[in-house]
Amino acid sequence: MTTVKSKAINLPKYESLFYFFSWTGAVFYSIYKVSLLDTYFNDYHDLYDDFSSGWIWIGRKQDISDQEWKIWIPLIINFIPWIFLNHFISHIIKLLLNPMVFEVLNPWALYGLGYCMGQFFLIKYVVVYGLNHTLCAIDNIQAPSQPKCVARIYLYSDMWKYFDKGLYKFLVRYIYIPLLKSNFNKVLASFLCFTFVFVWHGMQINIFIWAFLNFIGLNIESLMKLVGKNMWYSTFVLLLFLYCCCQVSTDLKNWNS
């Protein structure tokens, strides 16, 4: 069996130069013809104020009737810095993923690292959800907005309402409310919602502990709202429960090691 090897064929020098200048000239000629379209608007009577002076150094008018100007500029200003910050922090986290780092941390340092991980997770959601929300707004599609800062959230119910708003609306619309209409009580309906969260995020032991603790915390919060209207007392109980969760996470770390 004969093997045929492909071999590059070199064109003559002058033929290659002819193709290069022909293609380059065609591209610049097309750009030139497009630029001539602006001369149509030199004497155009702008009755509806659709154009502004634009950038002086370009010398062309800006079509401000196009709403994308109002969307892309805030997108670049608000989200591009967070993208670079997210990329920078991700490299730092990769350095901290060594199990030896977690073993030498004391409990308070471990809690602080967990809090910082939550803040990084927030930045990730701000970039992903904020970018998609802006792109959907271009086509007049109402998408869930970016999450609320976790540093300003101290209730389990607010965390689930305002962090991942899309997931919260899905749980309420397609699981929680249909179960209540089927004569399920609120505790069981909430438990089935967190069961879906457990399956959705991955059926692993750490995901189960996280979902179960959130379920317990949410029900304790609801119980405190029923027991007393004193907000300070309810906040104290929730902070105490959060401290207990931190102790559980510490014990799990020691158990895994």
Side-chain angles (χ1 to χ4, degrees):
M1 183 176 180
T2 305
T3 303
V4 179
K5 296 182 179 179
S6 60
K7 183 178 180 180
I9 301 176
N10 295 324
L11 296 176
K13 177 180 179 181
Y14 293 103
E15 184 178 356
S16 300
L17 291 175
F18 172 76
Y19 290 147
F20 172 77
F21 286 110
S22 298
W23 180 84
T24 305
V27 171
F28 279 102
Y29 180 76
S30 300
I31 297 175
Y32 168 72
K33 295 296 289 185
V34 172
S35 65
L36 292 180
L37 295 177
D38 185 67
T39 58
Y40 171 79
F41 298 99
N42 288 338
D43 300 326
Y44 176 74
H45 181 61
D46 191 6
L47 180 62
Y48 300 101
D49 296 328
D50 291 334
F51 296 92
S52 65
S53 58
W55 293 307
I56 299 177
W57 60 278
I58 293 181
R60 293 292 185 267
K61 294 182 179 181
Q62 176 185 354
D63 183 7
I64 59 176
S65 63
D66 191 351
Q67 296 298 322
E68 291 187 5
W69 285 100
K70 299 180 180 180
I71 295 177
W72 284 104
I73 293 179
L75 173 65
I76 296 175
I77 296 176
N78 295 330
F79 293 110
I80 295 300
W82 291 110
I83 293 176
F84 285 103
L85 180 61
N86 181 81
H87 184 70
F88 173 74
I89 297 178
S90 63
H91 285 285
I92 298 178
I93 293 179
K94 290 179 181 178
L95 299 177
L96 297 176
L97 288 180
N98 191 340
M100 297 295 295
V101 176
F102 294 94
E103 293 178 0
V104 298
L105 293 178
N106 58 60
W108 285 106
L110 184 63
Y111 306 154
L113 179 61
Y115 176 79
C116 292
M117 292 290 290
Q119 291 292 333
F120 171 73
F121 195 58
L122 169 68
I123 296 175
K124 175 183 176 181
Y125 266 53
V126 167
V127 172
V128 176
Y129 281 21
L131 179 62
N132 293 331
H133 175 77
T134 306
L135 295 178
C136 290
I138 296 176
D139 295 327
N140 294 324
I141 299 176
Q142 293 183 355
S145 59
Q146 63 190 39
K148 185 178 180 180
C149 180
V150 295
R152 298 187 292 114
I153 299 178
Y154 59 93
L155 296 177
Y156 279 92
S157 57
D158 289 346
M159 177 65 75
W160 284 98
K161 286 180 181 178
Y162 303 117
F163 189 78
D164 194 340
K165 298 181 180 180
L167 178 60
Y168 172 76
K169 291 181 179 180
F170 176 85
L171 293 174
V172 172
R173 180 178 300 177
Y174 297 107
I175 299 180
Y176 189 75
I177 293 180
L179 289 175
L180 293 181
K181 292 182 179 180
S182 300
N183 298 325
F184 283 78
N185 59 59
K186 293 184 177 180
V187 177
L188 182 57
S190 177
F191 176 78
L192 293 177
C193 287
F194 280 100
T195 302
F196 174 82
V197 171
F198 165 63
V199 176
W200 174 262
H201 285 83
M203 293 184 292
Q204 301 175 2
I205 183 62
N206 56 337
I207 301 297
F208 171 77
I209 295 174
W210 166 74
F212 183 73
L213 290 178
N214 275 269
F215 167 73
I216 297 298
L218 188 62
N219 283 275
I220 291 178
E221 176 188 333
S222 301
L223 180 62
M224 290 301 102
K225 290 181 180 179
L226 294 176
V227 171
K229 299 297 183 180
N230 191 335
M231 192 63 184
W232 291 104
Y233 177 73
S234 301
T235 303
F236 171 76
V237 174
L238 290 175
L239 291 177
L240 179 62
F241 177 74
L242 180 61
Y243 174 77
C244 295
C245 292
C246 293
Q247 292 296 328
V248 170
S249 63
T250 304
D251 293 337
L252 287 175
K253 179 179 78 74
N254 297 330
W255 176 60
N256 291 330
S257 60

